Amino acid sequence: MNPKLSVEKIEKTIGTGRIGKKIIYFDTIDSTNNEGKRAAPCEPEGTVILCERQTAGRGRLGREWISPEGKGIWMSILLKPNLPTPRVPQLTIVAAAAICLALERIDPLLQGKLQVKWPNDILLGQGKISGILTEMQISGDKVQSVVVGIGLNVNLKEADFSEELKMKATSLFRETGRTYDREILIGGILNSFESLYKNFLQKENLGESLAICRNRSAVIGKQVFLLDKGVQQEAEVLELGPQGELIVKLAGGDITSIVSGEVSLRVGHQLVEPKG
Ligand code: BT5
């Protein structure tokens, strides 16, 4: 039996800022992102929704996100930033940077091992340990709220994954053999997110998160396949641009930039991008 999360313990590990000042905890919920959207009209910026288990955890494009009880971090951060809509997807990259920094601070043995697979995956070893789902609610062209959902496989064992997922997904426990304290990880992620988010809001680009994700990129310098509405083309990734866009050289030689959410991406011949 996995111990339940203690909100009190998380609160003790976080600073005094906005992010996580209010934490709403559920044992079981459909999806913390769904709850974030439901809570958005009445809860303040920085509210965090947490649960032990999701019954309808979601990835992008309605894909399923498996969220077994008590073994991972399934949480959403509600934000109310004053941002133009094109900047909102950049928050995925800010969250990826925050997760990497927090994990490396808490477990220095992870330094040099985490990779960010643009735009929303974190890899350890060959597998995905974390995925981020950023969703915005808009009225006219104004951003009302944003929900940044974070799934992090912490203490999941091999048996917690389906046969198909076992091959491409992993957990901190599977890769290191160590069991992690989820409250300390949550507190660490919220603290790093708070500081990178503040920095992001003060800049006109990704700010500090850019170098963090560039240095850990799983795709810069690699040949990839871009999948856009069923059409696949080969490209070489040149750089992560200051707005979080991917700058690529297409097979024909043209250089272009790709905005997150437009395309999926496969690295080499290995299918890293999960099938829907
Ligand atoms: C993502 O989507 O990676 C975003 C996942 C976000 C999950 C969090 S949990 C808290 C919050 N509430 C939610 O309902 N969602 C967010 P995408 O890139 O589309 O990847 C989805 C794919 O990852 C699936 O099709 C599977 O192949 C794979 N997958 C499913 N569960 C996984 C897991 N626990 N770990 C690693 N990969 C998984």
Side-chain angles (χ1 to χ4, degrees), residues 9-52:
K9 193 168 158 193
I10 298 167
E11 282 167 348
K12 282 193 186 135
T13 68
I14 55 180
T16 51
R18 285 176 284 185
I19 306 296
K21 209 167 176 94
K22 176 158 187 187
I23 297 179
I24 306 176
Y25 169 83
F26 294 88
D27 190 82
T28 302
I29 192 148
D30 53 350
S31 146
T32 56
N33 265 40
N34 290 354
E35 184 58 26
K37 282 193 226 172
R38 291 190 288 259
C42 42
E43 297 295 350
E45 150 123 334
T47 299
V48 169
I49 324 279
L50 268 179
C51 70
E52 302 292 349

Side-chain angles (χ1 to χ4, degrees), residues 3 40-41 61 67 76 106 112 121 129 153 173 178 186 188 208 210 231 238 253 265 267 273:
L61 307 167
S67 325
S76 299
I106 291 163
D121 293 352
I129 54 160
N153 300 327
F173 174 80
R178 294 188 285 283
I186 292 167
E208 288 169 14
L210 181 63
V231 179
L238 301 179
L265 195 142
V267 183
E273 175 66 28

Side-chain angles (χ1 to χ4, degrees), residues 123-189:
L123 312 178
L124 179 59
Q126 289 302 305
K128 173 164 167 175
I129 54 160
S130 179
I132 301 154
L133 177 67
T134 300
E135 297 180 300
M136 66 177 146
Q137 293 72 51
I138 47 176
S139 167
D141 57 2
K142 192 163 168 13
V143 176
Q144 297 288 311
S145 60
V146 179
V147 178
V148 178
I150 294 175
L152 175 63
N153 300 327
V154 182
N155 296 322
L156 285 79
K157 311 232 155 65
E158 199 175 317
D160 294 312
F161 295 97
S162 65
E163 284 307 313
E164 195 205 342
L165 266 186
K166 245 174 225 174
M167 313 294 291
K168 53 189 181 187
T170 191
S171 67
L172 289 172
F173 174 80
R174 270 183 87 192
E175 296 304 310
T176 66
R178 294 188 285 283
T179 302
Y180 290 76
D181 184 319
R182 288 183 298 153
E183 286 97 342
I184 290 179
L185 293 177
I186 292 167
I189 293 169

